[in-house]
Amino acid sequence: VISAKKLRDYPEGPAETAKIANVLLKDDRTGQYVIAQEAWDCIWEELIQNGKGLKTVYDRPGFNEMDYNFSAEMLEEMITELDRLITKYGGSDWNTKDTANRIVALLVEHRTLITTELNEVNTGVRQLTDKDFLGPKERQLRRALKLEENSENEFDAVQEQKDYSGYFNALEKKLTAKKRSKMRQLAGKQVDEEIAVNASA
């Protein structure tokens, strides 16, 4: 059982490389093709440290594993599955086999890392974004918060709109008063004209 993570790890990488080489060395089909043990560390240095092997996701410009986060519910599901596997392969049916013990050791180590990540998410040390790996509960919560935020913003925008009703009410009163004044003037003029006509008759 080989750990790809340990293979890329600088302190543990050479030892993981030696495990691979020893498996190949002991296999009748491949043993004769394995290079001398003295060169194993050199191979690891060239491939991992100097990056002369095939390109992987780790070779992407700007790639950083910490840039990708998981929501709490997804991390909790991972821990649940790891607990199941650790219990299974750590049980009496398997714990006498070296491969099972190796799997358990790797899974326990991985569970510790995920538990740490879960604590960081729950305490806010790791800030989740919409681009992270979010579970359905987290996505639903974010949608609800956005809807609530948009509703509050719309309400605030309505509240912030200036009230011009007073101006228009005053303008309407002014125009009405002006119209009435003009009508009174016309009426007075007509009365004066009628008086003049009657006087001349």
Side-chain angles (χ1 to χ4, degrees), residues 10-166:
Y10 280 19
E12 298 184 271
E16 203 70 15
T17 301
K19 289 179 182 177
I20 297 173
N22 279 317
V23 169
L24 296 174
L25 186 63
K26 293 175 183 177
D27 192 312
D28 294 337
R29 298 165 297 177
T30 57
Q32 59 181 319
Y33 304 108
V34 177
I35 61 175
Q37 184 174 355
E38 294 77 15
W40 293 354
D41 286 352
C42 180
I43 293 294
W44 179 85
E45 289 174 6
E46 288 297 304
L47 293 176
I48 305 301
Q49 284 189 325
N50 299 330
K52 293 187 178 179
L54 296 174
K55 299 299 180 185
T56 69
V57 65
Y58 295 96
D59 297 307
R60 290 179 180 174
F63 175 80
N64 185 348
E65 283 185 278
M66 289 293 290
D67 290 340
Y68 301 90
N69 297 312
F70 293 88
S71 64
E73 64 181 298
M74 296 188 74
L75 294 169
E76 288 166 356
E77 287 294 330
M78 293 179 196
I79 292 172
T80 298
E81 181 62 17
L82 287 170
D83 286 340
R84 184 187 72 80
L85 293 171
I86 290 168
T87 300
K88 175 181 178 178
Y89 292 109
S92 57
D93 291 340
W94 293 91
N95 62 11
T96 56
K97 299 181 179 181
D98 290 339
T99 51
N101 291 331
R102 170 71 167 161
I103 287 173
V104 169
L106 292 173
L107 293 178
V108 168
E109 184 177 329
H110 193 51
R111 182 178 61 184
T112 301
L113 294 174
I114 292 179
T115 301
T116 300
E117 186 174 344
L118 175 60
N119 291 334
E120 290 175 352
V121 170
N122 286 333
T123 57
V125 173
R126 284 180 183 251
Q127 293 291 328
L128 298 176
T129 70
D130 291 338
K131 294 182 179 179
D132 286 324
F133 296 98
L134 309 176
K137 292 180 182 177
E138 180 67 25
R139 286 196 299 271
Q140 184 176 0
L141 175 62
R142 284 174 174 265
R143 280 195 296 269
L145 289 174
K146 282 184 179 179
L147 287 173
E148 183 179 343
E149 183 180 338
N150 290 337
S151 297
E152 289 178 357
N153 289 339
E154 288 175 4
F155 177 77
D156 291 340
V158 170
Q159 290 295 99
E160 289 175 3
Q161 286 181 358
K162 194 168 182 179
D163 186 4
Y164 292 103
S165 60

